[in-house]
Amino acid sequence: MTSTATMPSSSVQDTLPADAPDTLRSARYRWLRWSLSAVLLAGFVATCAVRGLPTDRLVLLGWVLAVLAVHALGRGGAALLRLLADWLPLAALLLLYDLSRGLADGLGATVHVTEPADADRWLAGGVLPTVWLQEHWGAEWWAVVASLVYSSHFVVTPAVLAVLWLRDRDRWVGYARLVLALSAAGLVTYVLYPAAPPWLAARDGVIEQVDRISSSGWAVLGLHKAGALLDSGQAQVNQVAAVPSLHTAFAVLTALVLLPLAARLWQRLALVGYAVTMPVVLVWSGEHYVVDTLLGAVYAGVVWAVVPRLVAVLAQAFRRPAEQPGGVRSAVAASD
């Protein structure tokens, strides 16, 4: 029997699949994508460990686009063009939202300070939940959890967008619409009804002493720069954009969108737990009243239920003229 080692090289080549060079090239690109993705992940984790979770939209989108660009390696120029065509308009709209949100409190509307506090007192039987929580709930482990959950708001939505874009572009389109619609609904409310959060109302002497402690967990971890980064980011946004709580709204929206995709019980519990923990953190930390978080959950539910149906109705309305006898198709046929 002739061994493979003694066979002519041409015979060995004849035994290889015709697409072997393409297969090897694909494997090399796959290894490169995984390696560069691991480097980016390590860089992001190191940045978070030193400075905390980033809150700047532009920085976060930069990380996301870097990962997606790495994923496009070896897939041709069309993959990169598709990445830019999908993400640049979305990024521009989200950045426009950030800019307009910062200006929303300068349009002359009266800032509401007492009404949200009165609503919370009514809901809790005369007690302000934020005041009660800060007086009775101050464990260091909880401060760490609270800071991580609060800061996750800035990372979770871009991460979900990135994963959906990689795995199911149709779902990505639907989720991107929900994100934009929810942001727009919040912005309109901030313009029409600017409201002071508990920490600001307390600073002005309208309610009892309330501290803004959403960043306190970073100090417990010894990451003082991380807390300073979060405080700096908070100082640069609209201070009276409190109704509704978009932190709560996006946590609930994430759960609503991902629950149908969650195959395991622990995944479903994690999604529901995240949506429930976020408002507790916000009320405890002085960032929002209970009524703000309830409205945020309502906004998320309405956007999740209404936007897909509205898109379907509009798509049907645009298709109908072309399908009618007097529509575009008939006109084109007549001209032929």
Side-chain angles (χ1 to χ4, degrees), residues 50-125:
V50 174
R51 303 189 59 193
L53 288 172
T55 61
D56 184 86
R57 180 97 64 178
L58 189 60
V59 172
L60 287 166
L61 288 174
W63 280 104
V64 169
L65 291 177
V67 171
L68 297 180
V70 165
H71 180 78
L73 288 175
R75 303 181 190 276
L80 185 59
L81 289 176
R82 185 178 188 180
L83 169 65
L84 296 175
D86 282 347
W87 280 85
L88 288 184
L90 175 63
L93 290 172
L94 291 174
L95 290 174
L96 179 62
Y97 160 77
D98 283 348
L99 293 174
S100 56
R101 182 189 178 190
L103 299 173
D105 60 337
L107 299 179
T110 302
V111 177
H112 299 268
V113 181
T114 60
E115 295 93 330
D118 291 342
D120 259 29
R121 291 187 194 279
W122 179 79
L123 288 172

Side-chain angles (χ1 to χ4, degrees), residues 166-180:
L166 290 173
R167 300 187 62 179
D168 189 336
R169 187 176 180 276
D170 289 338
R171 287 188 183 274
W172 175 83
V173 170
Y175 184 56
R177 287 176 180 150
L178 295 176
V179 169
L180 293 174

Side-chain angles (χ1 to χ4, degrees), residues 225-244:
K225 289 185 178 180
L229 177 66
L230 179 57
D231 293 338
S232 175
Q234 290 174 327
Q236 297 175 18
V237 300
N238 183 356
Q239 303 294 328
V240 292
V243 178

Side-chain angles (χ1 to χ4, degrees), residues 14-251:
D14 291 341
T15 63
L16 294 175
D19 61 347
D22 293 336
T23 302
L24 293 174
R25 188 181 302 111
S26 175
R28 285 196 297 268
Y29 274 117
R30 189 182 305 113
W31 180 87
L32 181 61
R33 286 194 292 268
W34 278 106
S35 299
L36 292 178
S37 296
V39 170
L40 287 173
L41 178 60
F44 181 76
V45 171
T47 300
C48 292
V50 174
R51 303 189 59 193
L53 288 172
T55 61
D56 184 86
R57 180 97 64 178
L58 189 60
V59 172
L60 287 166
L61 288 174
W63 280 104
V64 169
L65 291 177
V67 171
L68 297 180
V70 165
H71 180 78
L73 288 175
R75 303 181 190 276
L80 185 59
L81 289 176
R82 185 178 188 180
L83 169 65
L84 296 175
D86 282 347
W87 280 85
L88 288 184
L90 175 63
L93 290 172
L94 291 174
L95 290 174
L96 179 62
Y97 160 77
D98 283 348
L99 293 174
S100 56
R101 182 189 178 190
L103 299 173
D105 60 337
L107 299 179
T110 302
V111 177
H112 299 268
V113 181
T114 60
E115 295 93 330
D118 291 342
D120 259 29
R121 291 187 194 279
W122 179 79
L123 288 172
V127 177
L128 269 180
T130 298
V131 174
W132 188 91
L133 285 173
Q134 290 197 3
E135 289 177 348
H136 295 84
W137 204 351
E140 288 189 345
W141 69 266
W142 168 251
V144 172
V145 170
S147 291
L148 292 173
V149 171
Y150 178 85
S151 300
S152 71
H153 163 78
F154 305 103
V155 177
V156 167
T157 297
V160 173
L161 281 167
V163 171
L164 289 180
W165 189 82
L166 290 173
R167 300 187 62 179
D168 189 336
R169 187 176 180 276
D170 289 338
R171 287 188 183 274
W172 175 83
V173 170
Y175 184 56
R177 287 176 180 150
L178 295 176
V179 169
L180 293 174
L182 186 54
S183 299
L187 177 62
V188 170
T189 311
Y190 297 153
V191 172
L192 298 178
Y193 192 87
W199 67 266
L200 186 56
R203 191 189 69 180
D204 295 340
V206 177
I207 63 173
E208 302 94 313
Q209 177 63 36
V210 167
D211 297 318
R212 191 179 196 182
I213 50 178
S214 51
S215 63
S216 60
W218 295 114
V220 176
L221 293 172
L223 302 174
H224 300 283
K225 289 185 178 180
L229 177 66
L230 179 57
D231 293 338
S232 175
Q234 290 174 327
Q236 297 175 18
V237 300
N238 183 356
Q239 303 294 328
V240 292
V243 178
S245 163
L246 284 190
H247 270 69
T248 300
F250 277 107

